[in-house]
Amino acid sequence: MLNRLIVIAVTLLSGFAGQAAGQEAIGAVSRIRGEASAMRGGATQALGLNASIFLNEVVSTGETARLEVTFTDNTRLTLGEKAKLTLDRYVFNPAAGSGTIKFGVAGAFRFVSGQMSKLASSEISVTTPVAIIGIRGTEFWGGPIDDQALGVFLIEGTVSVSNAAGEQILSQPGQGTNIATPGAAPGPVTFWPPDKVNRAIATVTFQ
């Protein structure tokens, strides 16, 4: 019985490693604080500095954790504590001048566009539990804040924040919008006060 359990365990681990080996990494962990893990094919693996990130993984962070992933086009995504990143689609083809990023994120995060946004044809979006954020070469923060289901704060560039109830465009650095509850439309675009900005950025800042 013991030998059988060992064989099963080795088979599961080999399957996880084999799947990773059969794929090309789309990024790697560039900074980490605390605990983070990646789940693929029902198997979970702890993440450390320089760990490879693959398509179709679900990356999660623990309490008080921070995790920065740098993708092959130099796009950077930082997750705050107890966040979850689903890597749905990533295509970077500079030779053809095209690329696609489609990620799902729950929790606080900061997104910084890389070379993908400079291609002639690119489609970049982040889906949250309450809205889709369309990205046009930019840096922004997103996540729950002030008892709102989602806040989005623009640092540079332009983003659209939309769901079935409406859409708002952030086009000037310092602008933000909030979605109060799931199903509610994105609220008015305003310039966030420094205190709110600081609290937002603190959720993804490495100490």
Side-chain angles (χ1 to χ4, degrees):
M1 183 65 180
L2 179 59
N3 288 339
R4 185 181 177 187
L5 290 174
I6 291 173
V7 169
I8 292 173
V10 170
T11 301
L12 288 173
L13 290 172
S14 297
F16 190 100
Q19 187 178 9
Q23 295 185 40
E24 183 176 348
I26 62 172
V29 175
S30 45
R31 286 196 294 174
I32 186 170
R33 187 190 84 191
E35 296 182 354
S37 61
M39 184 175 70
R40 180 175 57 252
T44 301
Q45 179 174 322
L47 293 175
L49 188 63
N50 299 321
S52 294
I53 299 297
F54 298 90
L55 194 63
N56 298 320
E57 282 188 327
V58 178
V59 175
S60 302
T61 57
E63 190 171 354
T64 72
R66 299 287 188 273
L67 179 74
E68 180 190 76
V69 176
T70 300
F71 295 91
T72 55
D73 72 308
N74 288 326
T75 289
R76 298 196 313 276
L77 183 67
T78 304
L79 297 176
E81 68 171 353
K82 295 184 284 187
K84 183 177 291 186
L85 166 67
T86 305
L87 301 163
D88 296 317
R89 183 168 174 80
Y90 182 89
V91 178
F92 178 51
N93 189 344
S98 63
T100 302
I101 293 177
K102 290 187 177 181
F103 296 157
V105 181
F109 67 97
R110 184 171 184 166
F111 186 99
V112 183
S113 295
Q115 299 172 41
M116 189 85 71
S117 63
K118 298 177 176 63
L119 298 178
S121 175
S122 63
E123 182 181 359
I124 307 173
S125 64
V126 173
T127 299
T128 75
V130 295
I132 297 174
I133 304 171
I135 303 160
R136 306 169 190 173
T138 193
E139 180 177 358
F140 70 96
W141 175 92
I145 189 168
D146 294 344
D147 296 323
Q148 305 286 299
L150 178 71
V152 179
F153 172 73
L154 184 67
I155 299 170
E156 183 179 352
T158 303
V159 300
S160 64
V161 183
S162 63
N163 57 25
E167 180 182 31
Q168 293 287 8
I169 304 294
L170 308 181
S171 58
Q172 297 183 51
Q175 288 182 334
T177 183
N178 298 305
I179 295 177
T181 58
V189 174
T190 61
F191 285 95
W192 282 13
D195 174 68
K196 185 171 183 176
V197 173
N198 291 338
R199 285 186 286 109
I201 299 303
T203 63
V204 293
T205 299
F206 286 80
Q207 300 295 333

